[in-house]
Amino acid sequence: MSSDQIELRSIKNKIIGNPDAKVSLALGGALARVLQCLNASHAPETRIEALHIVYSLSSGSQEALLQLLNHKAIPSLLDVFSSIDSTSPQRLRAALGRAFKAIVSNITDCCGFQSWGILPSVPRRLWREAQFALEELFQPTALDAWLPHLLDTSLYASICGAISTGVRTPTHRTAICEWRPASDRAKATTSKRGWEKSNTLIISPTTPSSLHFPTSQANQFWVVKHLLHAVFDRQSSLATVTVSLEALASICKDNPAACSYLRMETSSSTTTDTSNHLQPFLLLLQSSSQDVRIASVHLLANYSKATLNTSLGMSGNTATYVSHLREFGIFNHPFLREGNNAQQDQHPTYSLCLTILHILVGMICAEDESLTVRTKACYVLSRFCTDDRIIAAAAVDCGGIQSLFSALVWETKLHNGKATEGEEMQEEEEEEEEEPVQILQLREAAFTCLATLGLTDSQYSRVIQEMDASREGDPSSSSSSRRKPPSVEAKEPFLFPLLARSILHPHLGVRFSSLQLVRALTRSLAVLRTGLVDTEIPNKVIQVIGRFDKEAETAEKADDMNRPEMDAPEGEDTEHRAVVMAALMSMCNLLNDYAPFREEIVKSGAIKHLVQHTRSRDDDIRLNALWAIRNALCNAKHSEIVEIMDSLGWDHFVHLTDDHDRRVREQSIIILQNITTTNKDLTHTVDALGNQKIVTILQQAMSNNDPRTVENAIRALNNVIAGPESCRDLILHQRHILSLLKNGLTSAAVGVRCAAANCVCELLARQPFRHRELRDVGMEQALKSVLGGRERSGAYPQHGSHGVPSASGFGAALAASGSFVATSPVQVTGAMGAIGTSGGSTSDAAFPLQDAPGLMGKELDREVIEAVKVAIALLDKGKE
């Protein structure tokens, strides 16, 4: 045994199970020496010991993983891949695969692509290094180093694990599908001349059946081909089949081309009937192995989603981002509409989706399944229902909510030692014991799936509440239906007390998922007024928001000291960013004007916590905190407006109206609209801000490139005009604001045109004999051009760099002012916030089409036409 081997074995024994020793090793100078021992010049036993150390460090703390990336551990592992072959010692190859899979999995989790639940916060330095390392891992030169070893039985499971955990983006999937061994690429290059080479991939097929792969293109799916071979090889072990299915599931997610190749390979070549496609995978659902069954249903769920997107004419890369804007759902597809019952029974997507849903529901409520399988089934069902109301409706009809309740009830009984049937719950709570991690993960997954269903359609929140009251948790007792909710029995609720206990739970995943479920439930008016009234949920949400205040204070001090932004580590006094985001979005719903405890929340001091978050350097946190304040000011009493605005600070409010994030600017202008609805509120606002600041805020907002910000600014201007005469006189002396108001009449966004027309009518009606200022800026000609069909000008881009679709369709943003009175406060009753595809305003999903001025520039919106006609009549009357 060499001295290097003895030294490395000593280091390995010291760091195993000792996080502090791992950090000390990573920060010391010994790590560079360890990575040097991976070179081919060292003995195999020495390299094995070094690989064991790399594996241990990659599975340790975040600081140790960061130091591994800084010392170029992944390039070192790729060099080891390049230096070994089938003749290398089996122990060396096994140790290499183990270390490679661990480091790929951990850096992928650090990038934020979590598949099975939320993970702890990641420092920005580690996040940047992990992003760079993961992208380098899927470059052609790196793939040439580790993908060929998929043929090595000693490395096969590790390579499949790296694919299933590391492939998370469309770019990664394309790289894996396009890769071929160097020998195959050389044959293709020498056998074809340059102009005869085929394209790399079919990007956007029209239907799955229209995909026909020539031999040269089918060979591009080299990895998929070998994974399929391992799945259906009779000599493959159950573990090999499982890891192969998991790798295929990652590759086929949102990848229509790979799914079509999968379908072609698994369909019978002797018949054109498509009803037997994927039949081999359906047979795997009857396997005796739980892991094989959950991996198979995961693959089929990803295949079904990608196939649906393809059949609707969308590419795999686009389907992920626009799936919430689809007009059709899985069972509302033209092939599956009413009147085509025969086609429904024959269409493979219809039967496949129902099969997937029934299997997932059965796995979730089956007590004989392992906790890991039930947890994964919850996540697969959640992703399958995300952003698709039709699939969510089918999941509810199949008993999805009941099965999730069964899992939660079983988990609670198991923790209390009452897992056997016939035993009742103890009335008095026993001393709390530490719950097993697997049970907490099951609760997290069940909460997440319930939240997905509730966010997909708010009617399911009511179903969840009624089912909680009835406590019918056994899906075998009756079939669930969203149209016929179960009858409510006089039993003690189970879900809401469990949610109240989980919001401040020590486990991160339980806290986050419970707040997501609260966010989904509070979107329903019935749940707000009945289910949450006598619970501690609102107070617990306020506590979560208050625990994150120190992060905002740290950011504010960093600004004052001109220091770079510091990371906010998790601890007793701080909270995970995602948890705070979910709490803020829940608070947006709790502060709606129809919530029964809104006044209590305002008086409890929650506004001070929200104000502190508006000073955060995180754009999303600042936005959602301001959104909650906006809702608190909607239809608020004058005393509440004074109290809230004093807490926010008028100077800080002015600063927010000029924020670098256009979404924050938009919410600030809506706040201005909400605090100027009455003469008393308007007078207070003018006295606090001053005439010049109000004019500056309106002028900046109306000059914005974002149509929704301009629209809300014009509606706030409408409120100012409807106020005292001094306010109207102030506006009439601002020629630039009047010019911007005139430009709004020719905007490409119908909401801006509607708001501008109503505002002009308001101004003319309030000042019937003072029209000179309006005529001087050309207002009369602009009004007549709306009816005359001239070309429009001042078209706005589609909401800047955020890529959010504009409020769409004619009449999508009708004025709430009625007959030219003060504009009503703006409030969104849906899911509040800006995260992901569930956190935008309701207009984004309701009107997916773009705004357009109409044929040949002629106005088509009825409200705009009527308002313009009234304005022209008022102008003509003023001439008399």
Side-chain angles (χ1 to χ4, degrees):
M1 183 179 296
S2 64
S3 59
D4 290 337
Q5 185 178 353
I6 296 175
E7 180 183 359
L8 292 176
R9 180 167 297 182
S10 175
I11 294 175
K12 179 189 70 174
N13 296 333
K14 185 184 299 183
I15 66 175
I16 290 178
N18 191 339
D20 295 335
K22 293 181 181 180
V23 174
S24 300
L25 173 65
L27 295 177
L31 181 57
R33 174 59 181 163
V34 171
L35 295 178
Q36 288 179 358
C37 292
L38 295 175
N39 296 335
S41 57
H42 292 80
E45 294 297 330
T46 303
R47 303 173 76 184
I48 292 173
E49 296 295 339
L51 288 170
H52 288 329
I53 295 175
V54 172
Y55 166 77
S56 181
L57 290 178
S58 62
S59 304
S61 64
Q62 294 180 349
E63 183 62 34
L65 182 61
L66 176 61
Q67 295 303 319
L68 277 175
L69 296 179
N70 289 337
H71 285 79
K72 308 299 180 184
I74 290 185
S76 300
L77 293 178
L78 294 178
D79 291 339
V80 178
F81 273 114
S82 302
S83 63
I84 64 173
D85 52 27
S86 58
T87 62
S88 300
Q90 192 273 339
R91 292 182 60 246
L92 173 62
R93 289 177 285 161
L96 173 60
R98 186 182 179 210
F100 182 71
K101 176 186 175 182
I103 196 169
V104 170
S105 175
N106 283 281
I107 64 173
T108 306
D109 290 337
C110 290
C111 293
F113 307 119
Q114 291 99 11
S115 294
W116 310 108
I118 189 173
L119 296 176
S121 300
V122 177
R124 289 177 179 82
R125 285 186 57 196
L126 176 57
W127 179 81
R128 288 193 294 266
E129 292 292 336
Q131 286 275 8
F132 179 78
L134 189 62
E135 294 304 319
E136 288 294 321
L137 195 62
F138 288 93
Q139 296 301 315
T141 53
L143 293 176
D144 288 340
W146 61 277
L147 268 186
H149 293 280
L150 193 65
L151 301 176
D152 191 338
T153 56
S154 299
L155 289 169
Y156 181 83
S158 299
I159 299 298
C160 289
I163 293 175
S164 62
T165 58
V167 176
R168 303 288 178 91
T169 66
T171 304
H172 297 164
R173 298 181 183 99
T174 301
I176 291 292
C177 291
E178 290 183 345
W179 185 87
R180 288 181 295 169
S183 57
D184 292 356
R185 296 198 300 267
K187 293 179 181 178
T189 303
T190 56
S191 61
K192 287 184 177 291
R193 290 166 287 188
W195 57 87
E196 295 178 344
K197 293 180 182 178
S198 59
N199 293 330
T200 56
L201 265 183
I202 297 178
I203 301 299
S204 179
T206 303
T207 61
S209 59
S210 66
L211 281 180
H212 300 285
F213 294 92
T215 304
S216 58
Q217 292 180 339
N219 288 336
Q220 292 176 354
F221 295 91
W222 185 89
V223 175
V224 178
K225 177 181 178 181
H226 284 79
L227 292 175
L228 286 173
H229 175 74
V231 169
F232 301 115
D233 189 358
R234 295 182 179 273
Q235 298 180 355
S236 297
S237 62
L238 291 177
T240 301
V241 174
T242 302
V243 295
S244 302
L245 291 171
E246 291 174 349
L248 285 172
S250 296
I251 294 175
C252 292
K253 179 179 173 59
D254 299 325
N255 191 349
C259 291
S260 298
Y261 178 80
L262 200 70
R263 177 179 182 177
M264 178 186 69
E265 289 294 314
T266 55
S267 298
S268 175
S269 59
T270 61
T271 178
T272 59
D273 183 14
T274 59
S275 60
N276 65 340
H277 82 291
L278 297 180
Q279 188 67 24
F281 289 106
L282 294 175
L283 294 176
L284 290 176
L285 297 176
Q286 304 174 4
S287 172
S288 59
S289 172
Q290 296 179 349
D291 295 331
V292 172
R293 292 200 302 270
I294 187 63
S296 300
V297 74
H298 186 200
L299 170 60
L300 291 173
N302 289 346
Y303 169 87
S304 180
K305 272 272 192 179
T307 302
L308 170 66
N309 294 334
T310 307
S311 63
L312 295 179
M314 295 181 296
S315 66
N317 297 344
T318 307
T320 306
Y321 305 103
V322 301
S323 58
H324 64 290
L325 299 178
R326 292 180 299 181
E327 180 182 1
F328 305 114
I330 181 66
F331 303 122
N332 200 26
H333 190 268
F335 289 103
L336 305 175
R337 293 188 175 180
E338 295 182 1
N340 294 329
N341 295 330
Q343 294 184 10
Q344 289 185 5
D345 297 335
Q346 297 176 1
H347 195 275
T349 305
Y350 178 80
S351 58
L352 178 60
C353 287
L354 288 182
T355 301
I356 293 170
L357 291 174
H358 281 292
I359 290 176
L360 289 174
V361 168
M363 285 182 173
I364 292 172
C365 64
E367 297 183 4
D368 57 341
E369 297 279 1
S370 66
L371 291 175
T372 302
V373 170
R374 299 176 72 183
T375 301
K376 287 186 176 182
C378 291
Y379 283 117
V380 173
L381 179 60
S382 175
R383 288 195 290 266
F384 194 45
C385 298
T386 299
D387 295 331
D388 198 309
R389 292 188 177 185
I390 311 301
I391 294 182
V396 174
D397 288 337
C398 292
I401 295 179
Q402 288 176 320
S403 65
L404 293 169
F405 265 84
S406 297
L408 290 173
V409 172
W410 178 85
E411 173 256 319
T412 304
K413 289 183 178 180
L414 183 63
H415 172 58
N416 294 332
K418 301 289 184 178
T420 58
E421 297 182 359
E423 297 186 4
E424 299 180 355
M425 299 288 293
Q426 296 182 357
E427 296 181 359
E428 298 181 359
E429 294 184 0
E430 300 178 354
E431 183 178 359
E432 293 187 1
E433 300 179 1
E434 185 177 356
E435 299 174 89
V437 176
Q438 288 186 331
I439 292 182
L440 295 177
Q441 290 174 347
L442 176 60
R443 186 192 305 180
E444 174 189 359
F447 279 168
T448 301
C449 194
L450 285 173
T452 299
L453 294 174
L455 291 172
T456 303
D457 197 327
S458 58
Q459 66 172 323
Y460 302 140
S461 298
R462 179 65 176 173
V463 175
I464 292 172
Q465 182 191 14
E466 293 179 351
M467 196 170 296
D468 180 36
S470 64
R471 294 290 300 279
E472 295 178 354
D474 186 7
S476 62
S477 59
S478 62
S479 60
S480 168
S481 175
R482 68 187 189 282
R483 303 174 187 86
K484 297 181 180 180
S487 59
V488 180
E489 301 176 4
K491 293 184 178 181
E492 182 181 357
F494 161 76
L495 179 62
F496 290 96
L498 180 62
L499 275 176
R501 296 195 305 268
S502 301
I503 290 176
L504 295 177
H505 197 280
H507 190 268
L508 171 62
V510 172
R511 294 199 307 273
F512 175 69
S513 59
S514 61
L515 285 168
Q516 287 283 51
L517 182 53
V518 170
R519 172 196 171 196
L521 293 174
T522 52
R523 297 175 68 227
S524 172
L525 175 61
V527 176
L528 276 177
R529 290 185 173 178
T530 57
L532 298 180
V533 172
D534 297 327
T535 67
E536 292 294 325
I537 290 178
N539 294 331
K540 295 295 182 65
V541 174
I542 294 174
Q543 293 181 40
V544 172
I545 295 175
R547 291 171 62 178
F548 201 67
D549 279 349
K550 291 193 175 182
E551 188 274 338
E553 294 176 0
T554 302
E556 187 177 2
K557 291 179 181 179
D559 287 336
D560 296 338
M561 302 172 64
N562 293 325
R563 293 179 179 177
E565 185 176 0
M566 297 177 285
D567 293 326
E570 294 178 41
E572 296 181 357
D573 299 327
T574 59
E575 186 55 275
H576 194 282
R577 175 184 179 273
V579 175
V580 177
M581 289 291 300
L584 289 173
M585 287 185 280
S586 301
M587 184 60 65
C588 288
N589 296 336
L590 293 172
L591 286 173
N592 279 326
D593 60 339
Y594 50 75
F597 30 74
R598 167 185 165 178
E599 294 184 4
E600 298 178 4
I601 294 178
V602 173
K603 295 178 181 179
S604 66
I607 300 298
K608 294 182 180 179
H609 298 312
L610 294 174
V611 169
Q612 191 65 39
H613 287 302
T614 60
R615 302 179 184 273
S616 173
R617 300 185 67 179
D618 190 304
D619 292 343
D620 292 329
I621 289 179
R622 190 168 64 256
L623 168 66
N624 284 278
L626 197 62
W627 203 316
I629 294 175
R630 152 198 162 171
N631 282 0
L633 290 169
C634 178
N635 294 329
K637 302 177 182 177
H638 178 71
S639 58
E640 294 176 344
I641 291 178
V642 173
E643 179 182 356
I644 294 174
M645 293 307 298
D646 288 344
S647 299
L648 181 62
W650 291 101
D651 292 337
H652 181 50
F653 170 71
V654 174
H655 176 72
L656 291 173
T657 59
D658 194 27
D659 195 89
H660 70 274
D661 192 322
R662 65 100 187 155
R663 303 170 299 170
V664 175
R665 295 194 302 268
E666 179 187 355
Q667 299 307 313
S668 302
I669 296 302
I670 296 177
I671 287 179
L672 178 63
Q673 180 181 342
N674 289 345
I675 62 178
T676 56
T677 54
T678 65
N679 287 346
K680 188 176 182 180
D681 297 339
L682 177 59
T683 302
H684 174 72
T685 302
V686 173
D687 293 340
L689 288 176
N691 294 338
Q692 187 58 40
K693 285 188 178 179
I694 287 224
V695 170
T696 303
I697 291 173
L698 292 174
Q699 181 174 324
Q700 289 179 349
M702 294 174 66
S703 304
N704 202 282
N705 290 329
D706 177 41
R708 287 196 291 192
T709 301
V710 175
E711 177 186 347
N712 290 308
I714 295 176
R715 298 191 185 279
L717 176 63
N718 195 2
N719 289 346
V720 175
I721 293 173
E725 186 175 355
S726 58
C727 295
R728 291 192 294 274
D729 186 70
L730 173 66
I731 297 302
L732 286 172
H733 283 87
Q734 304 298 324
R735 182 182 179 90
H736 188 54
I737 288 184
L738 296 178
S739 299
L740 293 173
L741 182 61
K742 180 199 69 172
N743 294 337
L745 294 172
T746 59
S747 170
V750 64
V752 177
R753 299 198 303 273
C754 183
N758 286 331
C759 188
V760 172
C761 288
E762 181 73 33
L763 186 57
L764 291 172
R766 298 282 183 172
Q767 299 287 352
F769 303 108
R770 188 176 175 181
H771 302 161
R772 180 176 55 84
E773 292 86 352
L774 297 177
R775 288 193 175 94
D776 289 344
V777 298
M779 188 69 71
E780 185 175 7
Q781 291 83 355
L783 290 170
K784 293 180 179 180
S785 67
V786 173
L787 303 179
R790 297 183 181 179
E791 294 183 359
R792 302 199 186 283
S793 60
Y796 294 102
Q798 295 296 320
H799 291 271
S801 59
H802 291 275
V804 181
S806 61
S808 1
F810 294 106
L814 301 182
S817 57
S819 301
F820 317 122
V821 295
T823 306
S824 301
V826 177
Q827 183 175 17
V828 175
T829 59
M832 307 297 176
I835 271 231
T837 61
S838 302
S841 64
T842 56
S843 61
D844 291 347
F847 303 102
L849 301 178
Q850 297 180 355
D851 288 336
L855 183 62
M856 298 300 294
K858 184 178 180 180
E859 183 59 60
L860 299 179
D861 187 77
R862 180 176 299 178
E863 184 172 355
V864 176
I865 295 174
E866 294 299 328
V868 169
K869 288 181 179 179
V870 173
I872 293 176
L874 290 173
L875 280 172
D876 294 340
K877 184 177 179 180
K879 294 178 182 179
E880 301 176 357

